[in-house]
């Protein structure tokens, strides 16, 4: 039997309700390289091909937002040569993907402690963010020097500053205000978090935002995760029932079986 083409698979995924916002913890690059007797950086290089393929597929199926965990606040503690290699790859990625991002109407965004990034990464990143600002087809957010706790601390600090200046009443602090003060302000609610490489943890990724996200763990290492694998996750998501605290019967009775957020 002839196996389905990626176009067939994507069109099946497209025909059913999609998650609005998918986050991916792209893990396992180092192990992928080590298993082949290669330096870890070769795993990161192959991982950037997965980033391109997964982004293209996400755009084709019509996701509104894709957030990729590329470098955590904690990853600065890795050996200096690995950190430097990752920063080089990041710069390369931003320069190489610029045209495709712009041609496809993608808005490139970034969250994290961006002022910690070296200037040679920050410059192409800021340029592409500015150039793609008005694009609306999909928001691709890179989580760089990102940590969920760091983000919550920054949010709390901003709220406290406003309160101290008398611009905000404590009673006005709400979920909506927290959402609007986080680095992810303006992005749709996070519906699905994918983590590759068999680890079952969030490693400080989108802690507030993942409160009601569906979690999908796969044993595949990130360099082996491509368009087809993304579609497998989306299909699994489409077969899950999201209850948001209600009973299954209540959810079934809803006119459209969608998030009640
Ligand atoms: C993920 O792959 C990429 C980053 C964290 C930057 P890893 O480098 O963590 O790969 P493993 O987990 O060591 O295999
Ligand atoms: C999480 O992976 C961070 C990224 C994928 C960027 P890690 O490999 O750093 O996570 P831990 O250390 O195993 O939790
Ligand atoms: Mg890892």
């Amino acid at each position: 039997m002839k196996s389905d083409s990626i176009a067939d698979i994507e069109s099946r995924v497209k025909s059913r309700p999609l998650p609005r916002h998918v986050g991916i913890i792209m893990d396992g690059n180092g192990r992928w390289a080590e298993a082949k007797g290669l330096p870890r950086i070769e795993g990161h290089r192959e991982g950037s091909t997965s980033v391109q393929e997964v982004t293209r597929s996400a755009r084709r199926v019509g996701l509104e937002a894709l957030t990729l965990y590329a470098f955590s606040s904690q990853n600065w503690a890795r050996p200096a040569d690995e950190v430097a290699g990752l920063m080089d790859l990041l710069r390369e990625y931003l320069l190489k993907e610029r045209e495709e991002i712009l041609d496809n109407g993608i808005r490139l965004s970034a969250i994290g402690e961006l002022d910690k990034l070296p200037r040679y990464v920050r410059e192409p990143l800021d340029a592409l963010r500015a150039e793609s600002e008005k694009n609306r087809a999909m928001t691709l957010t890179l989580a760089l020097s990102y940590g969920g706790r760091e983000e919550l601390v920054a949010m709390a600090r901003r709220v406290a500053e406003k309160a101290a200046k008398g611009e905000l009443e404590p009673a006005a602090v709400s979920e909506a205000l927290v959402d609007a003060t986080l680095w992810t302000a303006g992005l749709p609610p996070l519906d699905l978090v994918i983590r590759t490489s068999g680890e079952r943890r969030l490693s400080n990724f989108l802690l507030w935002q993942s409160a009601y996200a569906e979690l999908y763990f796969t044993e595949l290492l990130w360099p082996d995760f491509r368009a087809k694998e993304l579609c497998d996750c989306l299909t699994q998501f489409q077969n899950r029932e999201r209850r948001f605290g209600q009973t299954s019967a209540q959810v079934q009775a809803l006119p459209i079986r969608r998030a009640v957020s």
Side-chain angles (χ1 to χ4, degrees):
M1 202 179 80
K2 198 173 142 287
S3 64
D4 284 347
S5 70
I6 190 67
D8 294 334
I9 298 171
E10 285 173 354
S11 79
R12 254 199 316 276
V13 166
K14 257 177 107 154
S15 68
R16 297 175 65 194
L18 284 164
R20 295 181 64 192
H21 181 182
V22 176
I24 309 185
I25 304 170
M26 310 183 291
D27 198 14
N29 294 348
R31 276 165 282 171
W32 183 91
E34 281 156 16
K36 293 186 155 46
L38 298 168
R40 290 176 58 86
I41 195 68
E42 293 309 318
H44 297 310
R45 195 182 304 284
E46 192 63 24
S48 81
T49 304
S50 293
V51 168
Q52 290 159 21
E53 291 204 5
V54 166
T55 304
R56 281 182 197 150
S57 181
R59 166 75 178 84
R60 286 194 299 262
V61 300
L63 290 191
E64 262 177 78
L66 176 68
T67 298
L68 301 177
Y69 202 9
F71 192 85
S72 74
S73 299
Q74 287 64 40
N75 288 148
W76 290 113
R78 291 195 178 192
D81 62 337
E82 181 165 343
V83 171
L86 280 164
M87 293 300 141
D88 288 347
L89 276 177
L90 209 55
R91 177 182 162 85
E92 229 175 82
Y93 166 83
L94 291 164
L95 297 175
K96 210 168 78 191
E97 289 304 292
R98 178 183 166 275
E99 209 169 287
E100 169 133 359
I101 285 174
L102 296 175
D103 286 352
N104 282 288
I106 295 174
R107 179 170 78 97
L108 184 95
S109 172
I111 52 172
E113 299 171 307
L114 305 178
D115 48 359
K116 292 197 174 162
L117 296 169
R119 214 165 57 165
Y120 65 92
V121 170
R122 190 64 201 263
E123 277 173 3
L125 177 67
D126 287 345
L128 193 48
R129 282 158 88 199
E131 272 186 295
S132 65
E133 201 178 20
K134 299 216 158 54
N135 289 349
R136 287 292 171 265
M138 179 175 90
T139 301
L140 171 63
T141 303
L142 302 179
L144 297 173
S145 189
Y146 173 86
R149 287 185 172 178
E150 286 76 359
E151 181 183 33
L152 289 166
V153 168
M155 177 276 297
R157 194 171 290 148
R158 279 183 65 188
V159 169
E161 278 165 6
K162 280 196 172 173
K165 280 196 234 156
E167 293 168 8
L168 182 74
E169 286 295 320
V173 178
S174 61
E175 281 194 23
L177 180 94
V178 169
D179 271 330
T181 313
L182 290 169
W183 293 328
T184 50
L187 288 175
L190 185 68
D191 290 319
L192 173 62
V193 172
I194 299 167
R195 183 174 189 144
T196 57
S197 91
E199 312 297 351
R200 283 160 172 77
R201 55 177 173 267
L202 289 175
S203 299
N204 210 9
F205 184 55
L206 299 176
L207 298 180
W208 164 275
Q209 298 85 341
S210 61
Y212 250 112
E214 293 295 320
L215 307 179
Y216 182 102
F217 298 107
T218 166
E219 300 299 314
L220 286 171
L221 302 174
W222 177 247
D224 295 324
F225 190 100
R226 299 287 160 98
K228 156 85 171 58
E229 288 70 32
L230 174 71
C231 289
D232 290 345
C233 295
L234 297 175
T235 305
Q236 218 213 68
F237 174 90
Q238 291 170 327
N239 291 330
R240 290 191 192 182
E241 180 180 72
R242 301 182 78 197
R243 291 192 282 274
F244 297 96
Q246 294 190 311
T247 66
S248 185
Q250 285 177 298
V251 175
Q252 303 278 339
L254 287 174
I256 343 166
R257 286 173 59 195
R258 298 201 58 184
V260 283
S261 55

